[in-house]
């Protein structure tokens, strides 16, 4: 199963929570917090916040969300009958404000793997 890579920032966490609560209005805010934290691999929302505040301004941390962990935590909190397929799709389709790849990084990766033109001039050999 593929997992959505997400840049670990406050705004992306908030976007995932908002999408979850928009799709399922019956989910309480604190339960949505706990479920979102579980989808990122944390046992509690408080544990996630500690790490999130440490890395939000100083590091580029990209993590993968796991919709199965999201569903499991919601079921533990008493929400049954949720569609795993719908939740997986929701996690993939959230409009995350902070993309996990920067334009500069993407350009450098594309340039690295671009083929060399047949009519290009070879570099001077020492």
């Amino acid at each position: 199963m593929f997992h959505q890579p997400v840049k670990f920032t406050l705004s992306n966490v908030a976007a995932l929570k908002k999408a979850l609560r928009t799709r399922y209005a019956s989910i309480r805010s604190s339960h949505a917090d706990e479920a979102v934290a579980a989808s990122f691999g944390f046992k509690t929302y408080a544990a996630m916040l500690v790490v999130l505040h440490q890395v939000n301004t100083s590091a580029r941390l990209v993590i993968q969300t796991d919709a199965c962990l999201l569903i499991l935590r919601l079921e533990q909190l008493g929400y049954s009958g949720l569609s795993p397929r719908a939740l997986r799709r929701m996690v993939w389709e959230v409009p995350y404000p902070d993309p996990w790849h920067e334009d500069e990084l993407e350009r450098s990766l594309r340039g690295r793997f671009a083929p060399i033109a047949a009519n290009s001039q070879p570099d001077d050999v020492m």
Side-chain angles (χ1 to χ4, degrees):
M1 175 188 314
F2 295 106
H3 301 291
Q4 170 72 341
V6 176
K7 190 173 181 182
F8 195 53
T9 63
L10 286 167
S11 56
N12 284 350
V13 170
L16 181 56
K17 177 184 175 182
K18 181 180 178 182
L20 180 64
R21 296 211 57 222
T22 299
R23 182 155 183 101
Y24 300 101
S26 64
I27 296 176
R28 294 177 40 198
S29 179
S30 61
H31 290 171
D33 287 335
E34 292 296 325
V36 166
S39 74
F40 288 121
F42 293 92
K43 289 192 179 211
T44 65
Y45 180 68
M48 182 187 74
L49 279 182
V50 170
V51 175
L52 187 59
H53 287 297
Q54 287 176 348
V55 301
N56 191 48
T57 58
S58 62
R60 289 188 207 175
L61 182 61
V62 176
I63 58 177
Q64 292 184 330
T65 58
D66 190 336
C68 293
L69 292 174
L70 178 76
I71 294 167
L72 181 64
R73 186 67 178 129
L74 287 171
E75 287 178 351
Q76 290 171 345
L77 293 169
Y79 300 96
S80 60
L82 301 175
S83 167
R85 177 174 279 173
L87 276 171
R88 250 185 250 119
R89 174 174 238 117
M90 181 210 66
V91 170
W92 270 95
E93 293 176 350
V94 170
Y96 295 104
D98 293 327
W100 67 271
H101 56 83
E102 303 290 335
D103 290 336
E104 179 182 331
L105 175 62
E106 186 174 354
R107 279 195 307 272
S108 67
L109 289 174
R110 287 182 189 269
R112 184 178 184 119
F113 295 106
I116 298 172
N119 60 351
S120 66
Q121 296 294 325
D123 292 337
D124 293 334
V125 179
M126 291 186 176

